[in-house]
Amino acid sequence: MIVRIAQYPFKTRLLLGFASTAAILVAQQMLTMLAQGRLPFLLISAALPFVTVLFGTFSGALLLLTGIGFGALWMDPIGRLEVPRSNEQIVLLAYTVVGAVLVIAGQQLAKVARRAGTAEAATQDAAGRLLQVERDARHRFDVALNSAGVPFFIVTPVMRGGYITELRWDYLNEAAAQLFNEGSGVVVGSSTSYVRPPGWDADILLERLAPLVERQGRDAFDVRVQGANGDQWFHVVAASLDGSVVAWFGDVTARVRAEQALAEADRRKDEFLATLAHELRNPLAPIRQVAEILEQPGVTDGQRRWCTTLLRRQSAAMALLLDDLLDVSRITRGALSLRREAVALKEVIDDAVETARPMLDGKSHELVVKLPARPVHLEVDRLRLAQVIANLLTNAAKYTQPGGHIELTVTSVEAEIVLAVRDNGIGIEPDKLSAIFSMFSQVNPDHHRQGGLGIGLALSKSLIELHGGRLTASSAGKDKGSCFSIHLPANCRVVPPEVPARDALVIPSSIKTRRILVVDDNVDAADAMTALLALEGHEVRTVYSGEEAVEILGQYSPEVILLDLGLPGMSGLDVARHIRGTPSMKDVTLIAITGWGQPQDRARTADAGFDFHFTKPVDVGQLSQAIEGAVAAA
């Protein structure tokens, strides 16, 4: 307390001195009423050093002078400054001498107290600065470790019976804390046996980190963790630190998976080379044998024709293998470009079926093709799309037991066009579904005898992706068949191109009459078209506005609608959208009759759901072919 008061400012100590003097004088007055004047001198004398030490020399001197004045005033005779009696003079003199000595001693003590206070303040300041330095160092340590973004932790061993039985989390940076389900405040201080990142093995941590406590050194190892998203791998680098272990660890799942993928790709490459050698030797063997046959004397014309047919067939098989390899190379290099054209989907499917027909017939498979009621036209690379469909049909035939059932269905909805090839063959096991589209992958390695390089599905997938679509596969399991689906975006669908004009209109007598609705605000044009269609034998109704068209559809169910686009009020596009939004009329064939013929106009009619787009004046032959196509599709 003395040291602390000695550190107060001068003014504060002076005020406290006046206050203490006043308090002593009050006590002195009370004591004087009860005793002789010598006793109060003792009170003042005893207080002198404390007042001087606590509040300074000036305060002590003030109290000393007050005591002298008290002695002169309150001793007999009361009220006089003179002290006539010798014994009283001796007391007053003794008080003055002793009091002066005590004030001087108090002054020296005050200096000592101030020096002690200064030293204490310096010590406290140094301690505060040291504590701040420690806090700053810890803050920089935390910032550095947290900004690194790499998980870091410190663990301390827990000893029982002289052995390390478990480890305790002592520090975690933010990256490491995020791996835990709890907050880092809950983790720190907990045992690794009870609290650890999900999927981590406490025994592995203890086994690898505990030796670093007993000996100085470092260790690096990989930890495999079974997480919610599959297996993960972490690379841990640990080192000893004063009886604890510090460790960095990072997620190396991508690296490990890349290494596994490289190893798998290398394995598939070896399988591919072996399969390629096998596939090339297959046609080479009969070619070589035919060469030997042709060199033999006495070869008949029939044998020579057989040899020629065999050579063509086997060389064609080799050409297909080489074409697939070249296509894969072009796609890998980005050098394969599509030749898009507007084509009827039925024609593409016919091309694919014709290509796959030998394989289908060779194994006596039943093929069922289901197309939409209305014809579908796409802007695609006809050759490449047919190649993909043929490949799917060939695969289905290849991996289905003889006499199997294969179905090709086409569904056209607003979002996409889906072509699905289903079979009742050997199926695909669930764990192999994700790998069947990989290069050099076989659907079932046990069926290598079926032939193929394992690149057909990978090539097909790439070709469909070039069209902006996707190729998917599904199977209920082994021996339960499989389904491969081609998903093409809806923007591939277009109205068919105009067919070349014919010289004369020929009306086949076998054409069935159809119910047709003509909608055009030009009365003459509408009536003329109605008359022409009636001559062809069709049942025709005519209206002259979009509103009338929508109204008559509640009473009349046409199979074909010829619709002008530039109608007043409700336009032809609005009528088409209304028709396509009515489930009962989804199979109606819509034919646009308009004066607008730019590509963007055709795109608008395709989006509205029109099947055909003809510009005025309409070629009668083209119109009849469109109606014939609609009849065939119905």
Side-chain angles (χ1 to χ4, degrees), residues 16-26 51 59 62-63 66:
L16 291 174
F18 276 117
S20 62
T21 299
I24 292 171
L25 288 175
V26 171
V51 171
S59 298
L62 176 63
L63 183 59
T66 303

Side-chain angles (χ1 to χ4, degrees), residues 219-437:
D219 191 13
F221 55 93
D222 287 341
V223 176
R224 180 182 178 183
V225 176
Q226 294 181 347
N229 299 323
D231 289 344
Q232 288 180 282
W233 285 265
F234 291 90
H235 184 67
V236 182
V237 179
S240 306
L241 178 64
D242 298 332
S244 298
V245 179
V246 297
W248 298 89
F249 63 99
D251 190 340
V252 293
T253 304
R255 187 203 72 193
V256 173
R257 288 179 178 171
E259 291 173 352
Q260 292 176 343
L262 286 174
E264 179 66 13
D266 188 62
R267 182 189 66 80
R268 288 180 179 173
K269 178 204 66 177
D270 293 340
E271 286 186 0
F272 165 72
L273 292 176
T275 304
L276 178 61
H278 174 268
E279 292 298 317
L280 290 176
R281 287 193 182 102
N282 276 342
L284 284 175
I287 288 175
R288 184 172 183 176
Q289 292 166 359
V290 164
E292 296 290 339
I293 293 173
L294 292 175
E295 288 182 350
Q296 299 298 323
V299 177
T300 64
D301 291 340
Q303 291 173 326
R304 187 173 287 105
R305 286 192 298 272
W306 176 82
C307 289
T308 301
T309 302
L310 187 145
L311 286 173
R312 288 197 182 100
R313 185 166 59 249
Q314 296 301 325
S315 61
M318 292 183 66
L320 286 175
L321 293 176
L322 295 176
D323 286 342
D324 283 350
L325 289 173
L326 290 174
D327 284 344
V328 169
S329 175
R330 292 190 190 103
I331 290 176
T332 303
R333 291 182 288 109
L336 182 65
S337 58
L338 300 178
R339 296 182 177 88
R340 294 178 180 268
E341 59 178 327
V343 61
L345 180 58
K346 183 179 183 304
E347 295 177 5
V348 178
I349 292 176
D350 289 343
D351 293 345
V353 171
E354 183 179 355
T355 302
R357 181 59 68 184
M359 174 70 75
L360 295 167
D361 292 344
K363 299 188 71 173
S364 303
H365 291 313
E366 176 192 14
L367 174 64
V368 177
V369 179
K370 297 180 180 179
L371 300 176
R374 292 166 40 226
V376 177
H377 288 78
L378 304 175
E379 187 176 27
V380 294
D381 187 320
R382 175 174 180 168
L383 178 63
R384 294 302 183 183
L385 183 57
Q387 178 184 355
V388 172
I389 299 172
N391 181 41
L392 298 182
L393 291 172
T394 302
N395 270 350
K398 185 186 302 183
Y399 295 104
T400 300
Q401 298 297 331
H405 177 81
I406 299 173
E407 186 176 287
L408 170 59
T409 61
V410 179
T411 55
S412 177
V413 295
E414 291 185 4
E416 60 185 3
I417 299 99
V418 182
L419 297 85
V421 176
R422 294 181 176 82
D423 62 64
N424 60 350
I426 63 174
I428 307 170
E429 297 176 5
D431 59 338
K432 296 178 181 178
L433 271 174
S434 60
I436 59 174
F437 293 114

Side-chain angles (χ1 to χ4, degrees), residues 591-614:
I591 300 176
I593 307 294
T594 178
W596 304 97
Q598 296 300 314
Q600 59 268 27
D601 301 319
R602 294 181 177 274
R604 288 167 58 209
T605 54
D607 291 340
F610 281 92
D611 297 296
F612 298 91
H613 181 118
F614 293 118

Side-chain angles (χ1 to χ4, degrees), residues 120-135:
E120 182 183 8
T123 302
Q124 291 177 348
D125 185 58
R129 288 197 301 269
L130 183 61
L131 181 61
Q132 187 61 40
V133 169
E134 181 181 355
R135 289 173 178 170

Side-chain angles (χ1 to χ4, degrees), residues 547-583:
E547 290 79 5
E548 289 181 282
V550 171
E551 183 179 353
I552 198 174
L553 289 176
Q555 311 163 4
Y556 180 64
S557 299
E559 297 166 285
V560 180
I561 300 178
L562 276 60
L563 186 57
D564 180 29
L565 298 185
L567 298 173
M570 190 175 189
S571 70
L573 293 174
D574 294 334
V575 175
R577 294 188 186 98
H578 173 80
I579 292 172
R580 291 304 180 217
T582 304

Side-chain angles (χ1 to χ4, degrees), residues 174-224:
E174 290 180 0
Q178 290 175 358
L179 298 176
F180 291 81
N181 292 329
E182 302 87 358
S184 60
V186 177
V187 177
V188 172
S190 302
S191 169
T192 58
S193 300
Y194 303 102
V195 180
R196 57 187 179 275
W200 285 62
D201 191 332
D203 293 336
I204 292 180
L205 288 175
L206 184 63
E207 177 185 347
R208 300 305 298 259
L209 299 182
L212 295 177
V213 178
E214 301 171 347
R215 58 173 175 81
Q216 293 294 318
R218 64 187 299 277
D219 191 13
F221 55 93
D222 287 341
V223 176
R224 180 182 178 183

